Amino acid sequence: MKLSRLIIAATMLVAATLANAKDFTFTAIPDQDSSQLQLRFGKVAKYLETQLGVKVNYVPVKSYAAAVTAFRNDEVQLAWFGGLSGVQARLLVPGSEAIAQGYEDQFFKTYFIAHTSAGVKPGESFPEGIEGLTLTFGSKGSTSGRLMPEFYIREHFKRAPEEVFSRVGFSTDHSRTIALVNTGAYQIGVVNYKVWETELAEGKVDPEKVQVIWETPVYPDYQWSIRGDVDGNWGAGFSAKVKAALLGMNDPDLLASFPRQSFVEAKNSDYQPILDTAKSIGLID
Amino acid sequence: MMSIRGVSVSFVILAMVCIAFADIEVIAADPWSEFGRIGLGFITPSFFSWSELLTSLANTIAFALVGVAVAAGLGLLLAPFFHWRVVRLFCSFIRSVHELFWALLFLQVFGLHTVTGLLAIIIPFTGIFTKVYAEILEEVDQRPLNALPIKALNTGSAYIYARLAVAWPQLVIYTRYRLECGIRSSSVLGFVGLPTLGFHLETYFKQGDYSQAAGVLYLFFLIIASLRLWTHRRGLLILLLASLIWLPFELSTNPEIILRFLTHDILPQPMRDAASLLDVSVWADMFNWCVKLVQTQVGIGVWNTLLLTMISLVGSGIVTLLLYPLVSPLFFRKRWRLPGHLFLVVLRSIPELMLAFVVVVMVGPSMLPAIIALSLHNGAIIAHLIGHSTITLKLPLGAARGLNRYAYEVTPRIYRPFLAFLFYRWEVILRESAILGILGIHTLGFYVDSAFEELRFDRALFLILITALLNILVDIVSRRIRKQLRLTALPEIR
Amino acid sequence: MQPPVLFQLDRQTIGWHGGTVLDDLSLSIRRGEKVAIVGKSGSGKTTLLRALYRQSPQSIAFCEQAPGLVPTLSAFHNIYMGQLDQHPVAYNLLNLFYPLKKEIAKVAPLASVLGLSDKLSTAAERLSGGQQQRVALGRTIFQNKSVFIGDEPVSAVDEVQAEDLLAYVVNTHETVVLALHHIEQALKYCHRIIGIKDGKVALDAATEGLTPDTLRQLYEGESQPSQLKDNYVTNAGFKALC
């Protein structure tokens, strides 16, 4: 008897870890520190549950694209996207809306970081002397780790990154980018400035070995996007309720998991510059 | 006329030429701190959360068992028709696409659902089972069949009694070996998000949480090393049943999503918005679309994939020849073989992607990590099988010992099966080398991964088809060489 | 009136694998005859038997020299295989997993003649060479055909039992053609002896009046009838891998 009960309990556990269509479900792009995602967003799910009065699940995904696909296929109705993934997702789901962004996301930026052995001096303008070095982006679908830095590289050199650098890699996430430059595997890295500052504060970066050599101009980035059909499925005004819950999130512990100081309103048109940039470098047709 | 020596020498020369073209620069700026952390992690494994760990362990085994069982059943059904060209081509195609690519495709349709994981295993494994089962059944002792009453000759009964029953022990050995591969594949599916061990492994590795990563890996080693203990008939049946209960099956897939995927997402972009397919300009656009892909991605992708494959094939051969004595009773007593066994279990259980991650830290991001990872992984698998097969060798009394025995008595005797194993493994190495593109080497897999990340499924499918074509080509060449050299392998490796 | 001719070879020349050849060979065998083919090994006996078999495989039960059993199946199943064509696949499949009482009852009397009653449930690979050959013989007899062709069907069976089995074969089949290296057995159980030498018929006569010495002339150049080596089912190489 005990065994069968164990099996049933376990089955339910797995069922819960996989998407469950009936509950309101959200996901987040795995942009950093993915081992803590469950912990970080589990708390957010609880908060939303109390605010919305419905069951809320968080589903972890392995890539930016997987987050977009889950949103598109209605496996999740709400998602914490990057600038680019949000634009991609909303293009695929007509009626979906960007409803909130971090306060910092209104003026987000990318840090170009370099291993000290590369001998690149930090400066106010696009770094000189990085041509011919090795560079790693973050994820292929990242805004701060791919889209914006690639845009500035193309703007400066009028060439594709593969032609500028002797080697171009994709580390898959920001923490990994920092680690790879830290070991010297790559000489230059481009990274989400928030992740850099967090890891610097936690002592995960050796300032003797890696330093910021340039910060890009600001651009809009991360945002919460919601599907347009949630009002139909969870009742009129549900979308507005979600938005209010997100904007009203002021527990520092919750906010630290993003990490943002607060959430502010956002709308689709805020991300027009991202869409234009993505089109200009050929990431979106 | 090909000779064993000629083929061996040509492949080694070919690999050396490939190395000359390949990017194998060592960029070891400062690997030691990271390396020290990896070492520390492996000495101090930590098991982050038993409930999560055991859940993903159960998922790993359940996906593998159900997937392999269904694929074996389908393989058995298809094997009698393997001589039909259409079946042969079909199997060749479905096994030429790597599990991870299948999973990425099904993720678009079924999401993170049990069906995605199962199909990703069932489809390629069915192709492999059908081929190998058919070959085993083909090579079976014909005498029982000839002894049948003539009217029974071409009946299902004859097939069951005089072919299946004769081949049964070999079929079972092969299927059991495949189960190990299935467990590896199932855990690797975690890399794209399915809830298996690979899910946590990838996360921790990427994160640099090497203690936790080591914990997951140790658990995985334990499963692979203890496989023989729980894969007897009754154990398997119980586990299979438990797996079916364990895996959640309720499917909430929207048929619209499937339809959209088939009729829109994977259609080449120029065809999607076309009003009519009869329009000449659509086909002109299609042509340009293909040409552009071939120029910018396919050409480089195929070139790098082939370079990596050729070098790693020879690399695997060298690793095999170096390592097989470790597990051979002709060289070491039982007690001394144990560490060798464990070493090979470790090498062949660590997914190539992980292995390559570690090597990237050591030698920097060139093709070298992928070459090393592929050679070690595949070499360890073949060494394991070759080493075991030396049990059947009977050396003359007073045969030489040590290095002389290795060079004069044993290696020449196992060289033919060794080559057969290696050539069987060729297409596997090719599939894996495509996957290693995810690390950033511009193989076909790199561009497939990019296409998925950019949500351009039309490109992804086109590139996957190119990869499949390349695979089929290598399969044909490999078969031709094996036939010419009359190489037949033991059933485990194919 | 003489019984009809069953086998007719008319100036046949047969070669296979570039080896033994029957050269310009003519003979006929009528229904009801019990014929022994003798000759030294390599003289073309097997080739001749196969040539005969090809003439009407539907009505002939053919027992090959090597047992050719399915190693993993029981003796019962191997014998049962002689009647695979009598039942639909589903029935055969069922009988494979659950040996049916009815079929066991059918095989049992034959098994007792073969001296295999206590071995019926033993896997063929675990039987001795002689036992395996008896199972193979049983499988052939179980076909219940009127014509039996046997290529050294009892070569690995001990002499006393071999004679019993030959007697049984001869009594239960209307027409019998046997290749035998044991001259005394040939003379005892057959009515007609065909001696083959270098691919030609060197002797074709009724048994009466023939003596072992006459037959031994066929073996000129060979000190004694050769002992045939059979390929028994072995699984040893394989087992080692498990």
Side-chain angles (χ1 to χ4, degrees):
Chain A
M1 277 304 99
K2 239 183 173 175
L3 184 73
S4 67
R5 217 179 302 162
L6 197 74
I7 289 173
I8 292 168
T11 313
M12 284 162 67
L13 198 73
V14 187
T17 60
L18 294 171
N20 191 332
K22 277 159 266 161
D23 300 329
F24 185 64
T25 308
F26 75 98
T27 190
I29 50 168
D31 63 327
Q32 58 152 328
D33 211 5
S34 39
S35 59
Q36 302 302 313
L37 283 174
Q38 188 80 50
L39 195 70
R40 277 157 54 200
F41 288 104
K43 285 190 257 176
V44 176
K46 278 221 181 70
Y47 166 79
L48 287 176
E49 219 165 75
T50 53
Q51 295 292 309
L52 302 173
V54 298
K55 180 118 180 49
V56 178
N57 285 329
Y58 159 72
V59 195
V61 291
K62 273 287 178 195
S63 70
Y64 287 48
V68 174
T69 301
F71 188 76
R72 182 190 190 196
N73 290 355
D74 201 18
E75 284 182 82
V76 302
Q77 293 75 43
L78 176 72
W80 174 242
F81 282 127
L84 174 61
S85 42
V87 166
Q88 288 172 321
R90 292 193 299 275
L91 277 178
L92 291 169
V93 184
S96 56
E97 295 276 351
I99 49 174
Q101 59 184 345
Y103 172 80
E104 295 89 332
D105 291 304
Q106 304 168 84
F107 15 82
F108 215 77
K109 56 198 171 188
T110 295
Y111 282 167
F112 276 61
I113 57 173
H115 196 266
T116 38
S117 68
V120 184
K121 294 273 170 296
E124 290 293 309
S125 57
F126 192 91
E128 292 303 324
I130 62 170
E131 193 172 351
L133 301 180
T134 60
L135 169 121
T136 182
F137 288 116
S139 163
K140 287 170 182 166
S142 165
T143 309
S144 53
R146 161 88 188 272
L147 179 71
M148 296 316 291
E150 177 165 346
F151 172 76
Y152 287 110
I153 290 166
R154 281 176 187 266
E155 194 185 53
H156 186 84
F157 292 103
K158 316 280 177 234
R159 274 178 293 159
E162 288 77 17
E163 293 159 25
V164 174
F165 297 96
S166 62
R167 196 187 301 282
V168 173
F170 291 92
S171 73
T172 68
D173 79 14
H174 300 297
S175 310
R176 188 85 199 148
T177 302
I178 297 171
L180 283 175
V181 179
N182 207 17
T183 62
Y186 284 96
Q187 294 166 300
I188 310 285
V190 287
V191 61
N192 169 329
Y193 87 104
K194 276 300 229 182
V195 177
W196 168 266
E197 282 172 359
T198 312
E199 301 220 336
L200 195 64
E202 288 170 355
K204 285 188 185 167
V205 186
D206 183 353
E208 296 286 303
K209 288 185 191 159
V210 195
Q211 54 181 344
V212 177
I213 52 168
W214 185 55
E215 49 180 87
T216 62
V218 298
Y219 53 85
D221 205 342
Y222 295 73
Q223 90 295 144
W224 287 103
S225 291
I226 194 163
R227 286 178 62 95
D229 53 12
V230 288
D231 285 3
N233 295 332
W234 274 271
F238 187 78
S239 178
K241 243 165 103 183
V242 175
K243 184 171 181 174
L246 291 171
L247 297 179
M249 196 190 292
N250 50 22
D251 177 354
D253 186 37
L254 284 182
L255 289 167
S257 54
F258 289 91
R260 299 290 185 267
Q261 54 169 279
S262 65
F263 286 111
V264 299
E265 275 198 61
K267 52 189 182 305
N268 289 0
S269 59
D270 292 344
Y271 292 88
Q272 191 61 41
I274 297 292
L275 176 61
D276 295 341
T277 312
K279 281 189 171 163
S280 78
I281 68 170
L283 276 176
I284 292 180
D285 294 317
Chain B
M1 190 60 204
M2 279 193 254
S3 72
I4 297 258
R5 183 189 300 244
V7 167
S8 308
V9 171
S10 335
F11 270 79
V12 170
I13 291 175
L14 196 59
M16 287 187 338
V17 173
C18 288
I19 286 182
F21 283 106
D23 166 21
I24 51 161
E25 192 185 348
V26 177
I27 312 149
D30 180 21
W32 294 112
S33 61
E34 190 76 3
F35 212 51
R37 296 208 298 130
I38 294 177
L40 191 68
F42 275 81
I43 311 171
T44 58
S46 114
F47 299 90
F48 60 102
S49 137
W50 278 107
S51 75
E52 253 185 90
L53 201 55
L54 290 180
T55 307
S56 54
L57 177 70
N59 287 336
T60 305
I61 295 177
F63 277 126
L65 273 178
V66 178
V68 169
V70 174
L74 290 174
L76 215 50
L77 287 179
L78 281 174
F81 307 103
F82 195 65
H83 57 277
W84 294 357
R85 181 181 293 260
V86 53
V87 173
R88 224 168 34 239
L89 274 176
F90 173 72
C91 290
S92 195
F93 173 70
I94 58 177
R95 72 170 189 274
S96 65
V97 178
H98 195 279
E99 297 93 276
L100 274 184
F101 288 161
W102 282 119
L104 281 169
L105 284 174
F106 289 118
L107 270 177
Q108 311 308 324
V109 181
F110 301 116
L112 281 172
H113 191 274
T114 305
V115 171
T116 302
L118 287 183
L119 284 178
I121 295 179
I122 289 171
I123 291 178
F125 275 59
T126 298
I128 297 166
F129 274 130
T130 307
K131 172 190 165 197
V132 176
Y133 283 174
E135 280 179 6
I136 293 178
L137 289 165
E138 193 62 32
E139 288 160 15
V140 113
D141 183 358
Q142 297 285 327
R143 290 172 307 186
L145 195 69
N146 292 335
L148 290 181
I150 193 132
K151 265 193 285 176
L153 266 190
N154 289 315
T155 61
S157 299
Y159 183 76
I160 293 162
Y161 273 74
R163 268 195 197 276
L164 268 189
V166 180
W168 196 253
Q170 304 189 52
L171 297 179
V172 169
I173 290 178
Y174 181 73
T175 311
R176 188 170 295 163
Y177 161 73
R178 266 281 134 198
L179 184 62
E180 181 183 324
C181 306
I183 292 175
R184 267 201 297 269
S185 300
S186 148
S187 80
V188 166
L189 289 182
F191 292 3
V192 294
L194 287 152
T196 61
L197 282 176
F199 186 95
H200 302 294
L201 190 59
E202 199 248 12
T203 304
Y204 289 122
F205 233 100
K206 215 164 68 179
Q207 224 52 61
D209 298 336
Y210 297 119
S211 293
Q212 274 98 329
V216 182
L217 264 182
Y218 285 154
L219 199 65
F220 189 59
F221 294 159
L222 200 69
I223 300 291
I224 298 289
S226 70
L227 205 62
R228 270 154 206 267
L229 299 178
W230 48 272
T231 50
H232 44 82
R233 194 185 298 184
R234 183 171 308 172
L236 275 180
L237 245 122
I238 294 172
L239 276 173
L240 187 62
L241 221 69
S243 300
L244 285 171
I245 299 171
W246 171 266
L247 290 172
F249 276 102
E250 89 281 14
L251 185 56
S252 53
T253 295
N254 194 336
E256 275 172 41
I257 294 177
I258 301 175
L259 201 69
R260 183 193 67 200
F261 184 72
L262 293 177
T263 59
H264 179 268
D265 292 3
I266 58 170
L267 279 192
Q269 198 238 333
M271 275 168 74
R272 270 185 219 160
D273 315 314
S276 156
L277 288 182
L278 295 176
D279 195 344
V280 180
S281 72
V282 174
W283 293 100
D285 286 351
M286 269 296 294
F287 181 73
N288 289 334
W289 183 84
C290 289
V291 168
K292 197 178 158 225
L293 262 186
V294 170
Q295 278 176 344
T296 56
Q297 308 193 345
V298 175
I300 308 168
V302 168
W303 170 246
N304 280 312
T305 306
L306 284 178
L307 281 186
L308 179 54
T309 306
M310 288 313 301
I311 301 170
S312 304
L313 180 72
V314 173
S316 305
I318 293 170
V319 170
T320 305
L321 290 179
L322 288 176
L323 293 186
Y324 86 84
L326 290 183
V327 292
S328 164
L330 299 180
F331 292 97
F332 294 100
R333 283 164 200 275
K334 189 161 191 179
R335 189 163 12 133
W336 295 109
R337 289 202 303 275
L338 190 69
H341 269 298
L342 289 178
F343 181 60
L344 290 191
V345 165
V346 167
L347 274 190
R348 71 177 199 267
S349 313
I350 302 181
E352 302 89 312
L353 265 174
M354 295 290 98
L355 210 55
F357 264 135
V358 176
V359 188
V360 166
V361 172
M362 288 168 65
V363 303
S366 64
M367 197 182 273
L368 199 55
I371 294 172
I372 294 175
L374 280 174
S375 302
L376 284 178
H377 180 81
N378 290 292
I381 291 179
I382 308 176
H384 162 72
L385 296 164
I386 286 277
H388 271 283
S389 73
T390 56
I391 293 174
T392 52
L393 287 188
K394 293 223 165 31
L395 294 188
L397 283 174
R401 306 206 152 267
L403 214 56
N404 284 331
R405 170 177 291 192
Y406 174 82
Y408 280 84
E409 297 280 3
V410 187
T411 305
R413 284 195 170 90
I414 53 110
Y415 200 76
R416 283 177 88 83
F418 156 73
L419 270 193
F421 284 11
L422 198 59
F423 282 123
Y424 261 117
R425 203 72 201 165
W426 194 359
E427 58 166 289
V428 182
I429 294 175
L430 179 76
R431 274 199 291 279
E432 288 168 349
S433 68
I435 279 292
L436 281 177
I438 293 174
L439 285 175
I441 317 143
H442 291 204
T443 62
L444 283 166
F446 173 84
Y447 294 108
V448 174
D449 179 62
S450 298
F452 273 112
E453 276 299 318
E454 291 161 19
L455 305 163
R456 286 165 162 153
F457 307 118
D458 50 344
R459 287 192 193 179
L461 192 74
F462 183 80
L463 292 165
I464 287 177
L465 289 179
I466 297 281
T467 316
L469 220 62
L470 203 59
N471 237 294
I472 292 171
L473 211 72
V474 160
D475 186 32
I476 291 172
V477 174
S478 152
R479 200 167 48 220
R480 199 151 287 176
I481 294 178
R482 276 183 282 130
K483 209 168 206 173
Q484 278 274 327
L485 297 180
R486 293 207 195 81
L487 299 171
T488 49
L490 295 161
E492 287 96 325
I493 191 68
R494 314 185 229 204
Chain C
M1 203 184 90
Q2 283 201 316
V5 171
L6 271 186
F7 301 109
Q8 178 81 51
L9 290 182
D10 209 6
R11 310 199 62 175
Q12 289 255 328
T13 296
I14 304 164
W16 50 275
H17 294 309
T20 317
V21 176
L22 293 184
D23 189 18
D24 194 19
L25 188 134
S26 307
L27 63 82
S28 65
I29 295 174
R30 290 178 185 278
R31 198 162 83 195
E33 285 197 275
K34 321 279 181 189
V35 184
I37 315 275
V38 295
K40 58 180 180 180
S41 73
S43 60
K45 285 177 293 182
T46 301
T47 312
L48 174 57
L49 291 183
R50 292 213 171 127
L52 296 179
Y53 176 67
R54 273 196 298 275
Q55 297 206 340
S56 68
Q58 304 278 355
S59 54
I60 298 170
F62 190 97
C63 187
E64 286 206 75
Q65 195 169 339
L69 302 179
V70 183
T72 43
L73 291 187
S74 68
F76 160 72
H77 280 122
N78 272 288
I79 295 174
Y80 172 80
M81 286 169 73
Q83 288 191 3
L84 270 192
D85 56 344
Q86 311 287 317
H87 309 285
V89 185
Y91 185 87
N92 289 333
L93 204 57
L94 181 68
N95 187 52
L96 185 60
F97 293 106
Y98 302 98
L100 300 167
K101 285 220 175 80
K102 191 175 138 203
E103 297 301 331
I104 297 176
K106 268 200 238 167
V107 170
L110 180 57
S112 116
V113 171
L114 295 164
L116 290 168
S117 296
D118 56 337
K119 296 287 178 199
L120 272 186
S121 56
T122 309
E125 60 192 340
R126 284 205 225 108
L127 298 174
S128 71
Q131 288 166 336
Q132 288 188 8
Q133 199 177 37
R134 278 181 274 149
V135 174
L137 180 61
R139 181 180 55 192
T140 317
I141 297 171
F142 199 57
Q143 293 188 28
N144 278 334
K145 296 278 165 68
S146 59
V147 184
F148 182 100
I149 297 183
D151 190 358
E152 304 284 1
V154 291
S155 56
V157 181
D158 73 73
E159 217 161 303
V160 181
Q161 205 176 11
E163 302 226 344
D164 291 346
L165 294 178
L166 284 178
Y168 185 79
V169 167
V170 169
N171 289 334
T172 48
H173 294 82
E174 191 180 23
T175 311
V176 175
V177 182
L178 297 169
L180 291 171
H181 70 283
H182 203 293
I183 291 164
E184 285 78 10
Q185 286 175 357
L187 290 171
K188 191 165 171 188
Y189 294 102
C190 298
H191 309 144
R192 177 181 167 195
I193 308 280
I194 297 174
I196 304 287
K197 193 174 178 185
D198 303 326
K200 290 199 163 85
V201 176
L203 170 91
D204 187 349
T207 311
E208 288 122 57
L210 287 176
T211 65
D213 284 334
T214 345
L215 295 185
R216 285 213 172 85
Q217 289 171 6
L218 293 166
Y219 293 90
E220 253 168 36
E222 197 180 11
S223 53
Q224 57 186 343
S226 67
Q227 210 48 52
L228 291 153
K229 280 183 225 123
D230 284 314
N231 277 328
Y232 293 104
V233 211
T234 80
N235 236 10
F238 221 173
K239 277 274 176 55
L241 273 169
C242 302

